[in-house]
Amino acid sequence: MAQPTFKQLAALIAIADTGMFRTAAEKLHVSQPALSEQISQLEYRLGARLLDRDRRGARLTPVGELIASRARRILADVSELDAVVRSSAENLGGLIRMGGLPTLGPYLMPYVVPVLHARFPGLRLYVREATGQALEDGIQSGQFDVALTVQPKAGERMRVMPLFDEALMLGLAHEDDLLREECINAAALNGKDLLTLEDGHRLTEQVKDIARQSGANILEDYQGTSLDGLRQMVGMGMGVAIFPHLYERSEIRNDRAVIARPLQSADAYRQACLIWRENNPREKDFETLGGIIAARAAELLAEG
């Protein structure tokens, strides 16, 4: 029996990602009939129905889910063959697809990118934000080459490079009584209303742990969709919130409505890491990238 082709696997993944034959065809720059033929040939070669089709589009069957997952890994491995050649010929050049946390990347990478561009003009860095679990899934599927995250959960075939520790700080409205202290012990949060980001963020998990230990009240009905949203709610006196140091440095210091104080707790920090798939041929490049990110972060955090 003939083996599936890379084009057929790419067609399946495109439909899985978009849910529509027409959109998938546009994404792959092929006609819709040509895409349908690729899927038909793939189903014939595997002897299984991979998609359920209806008027609303197409969705993977249970077998299709398994095949699509394996197809992502296969195509990711194939794409790394080209990286082998680039890595041997260039010093941190070519395209790197990088994922990043929305609570970290925007407040660090603008200081890193100019350094990268000056040292490696041939580098193209494509950055996309996602939550922690989505970043780790994206590394495994090949969507991302590397990801800037915090305290990643152990995953199969994943390399973790610790970069730096970032303190967590408490944001308070100007009239809050806790501002009498220059450094606030987490125990002082007992009975306080504590605002968080919506579920799915690693920062939310940490804040809830601190709340459980300190006796703070998590305001489940007022979860923020962004750190900026949290800061605005704090400024309106709706509660206090915990912010990463780099965000505080970038956004809170110039905010007249909110003041941040260091938070004294064994858990009031997070470890930033760079992650990628094990045995990636560009591992040395990623280590170089991680070293530059860590050095720039150390400079920013040392400034206070």
Side-chain angles (χ1 to χ4, degrees), residues 44 50 76 141-142 161 166 168 197 215 246 260 296:
Y44 174 76
L50 305 179
S141 70
M161 179 182 180
E166 181 185 20
L168 300 179
L197 292 172
L246 288 172
R296 195 68 185 98

Side-chain angles (χ1 to χ4, degrees), residues 12 70 82 91 100 129 133 135 160 178 181 239 241 248 262 271:
L12 180 66
R70 293 296 300 272
D82 183 53
N91 185 14
E129 293 180 4
Q133 188 59 54
L135 291 177
V160 178
L178 289 181
E181 303 293 333
E248 180 272 335
Q271 185 179 65

Side-chain angles (χ1 to χ4, degrees), residues 12-49:
L12 180 66
I13 292 172
I15 295 172
D17 289 343
T18 63
M20 300 288 292
F21 271 79
R22 184 177 64 182
T23 308
E26 292 173 353
K27 181 178 180 180
L28 295 177
H29 305 290
V30 299
S31 67
Q32 190 170 332
L35 181 69
S36 297
E37 179 63 21
Q38 294 283 2
I39 295 299
S40 296
Q41 288 294 324
L42 180 60
E43 290 180 322
Y44 174 76
R45 290 181 177 185
L46 295 177
R49 190 177 81 256

Side-chain angles (χ1 to χ4, degrees), residues 195 218-224 233 238:
L195 297 158
I218 292 289
L219 297 181
E220 300 282 0
D221 293 336
Y222 298 99
Q223 291 183 323
M233 286 191 284
M238 295 176 63

Side-chain angles (χ1 to χ4, degrees), residues 22-214:
R22 184 177 64 182
T23 308
E26 292 173 353
K27 181 178 180 180
L28 295 177
H29 305 290
V30 299
S31 67
Q32 190 170 332
L35 181 69
S36 297
E37 179 63 21
Q38 294 283 2
I39 295 299
S40 296
Q41 288 294 324
L42 180 60
E43 290 180 322
Y44 174 76
R45 290 181 177 185
L46 295 177
R49 190 177 81 256
L50 305 179
L51 294 168
D52 284 328
R53 305 161 175 83
D54 56 33
R55 292 181 179 179
R56 293 173 295 180
R59 64 182 184 277
L60 294 170
T61 64
V63 174
E65 292 278 2
L66 295 174
I67 298 300
S69 177
R70 293 296 300 272
R72 290 183 192 277
R73 293 190 180 186
I74 291 170
L75 293 181
D77 288 339
V78 171
S79 70
E80 288 173 0
L81 294 176
D82 183 53
V84 172
V85 178
R86 291 199 310 269
S87 184
S88 63
E90 301 177 4
N91 185 14
L92 198 55
L95 174 67
I96 293 180
R97 300 165 301 166
M98 181 177 180
L101 291 178
T103 62
L104 176 58
Y107 315 107
L108 173 58
M109 291 308 294
Y111 300 96
V112 174
V113 168
V115 177
L116 291 172
H117 184 64
R119 289 182 57 180
F120 308 106
L123 173 65
R124 292 182 297 144
L125 192 65
Y126 169 78
V127 182
R128 181 175 179 180
E129 293 180 4
T131 57
Q133 188 59 54
L135 291 177
E136 291 163 28
D137 291 344
I139 290 293
Q140 299 290 7
S141 70
Q143 179 185 7
F144 300 120
D145 299 314
V146 294
L148 179 62
T149 186
V150 297
Q151 295 163 220
K153 298 177 181 178
E156 181 185 359
R157 300 180 64 194
M158 191 166 68
R159 172 87 156 78
V160 178
M161 179 182 180
L163 300 180
F164 59 91
D165 290 342
E166 181 185 20
L168 300 179
M169 306 187 73
L170 188 66
L172 309 105
H174 264 272
E175 64 274 12
D176 199 296
D177 291 341
L178 289 181
L179 286 175
R180 291 175 296 185
E181 303 293 333
E182 288 299 318
C183 183
I184 299 172
N185 192 293
L189 296 177
N190 185 34
K192 277 279 191 181
D193 289 335
L194 185 58
L195 297 158
T196 70
L197 292 172
E198 58 192 357
D199 291 336
H201 290 275
R202 291 281 160 80
L203 182 60
T204 301
E205 297 172 12
Q206 284 188 270
V207 171
K208 287 186 175 181
D209 285 341
I210 292 173
R212 281 191 289 268
Q213 296 169 20
S214 66

Side-chain angles (χ1 to χ4, degrees), residues 280-302:
N280 190 301
R282 300 197 71 182
E283 181 163 309
K284 293 297 183 183
D285 288 348
F286 300 156
E287 289 175 348
T288 299
L289 175 62
I292 293 171
I293 294 173
R296 195 68 185 98
E299 293 172 355
L300 296 173
L301 295 173

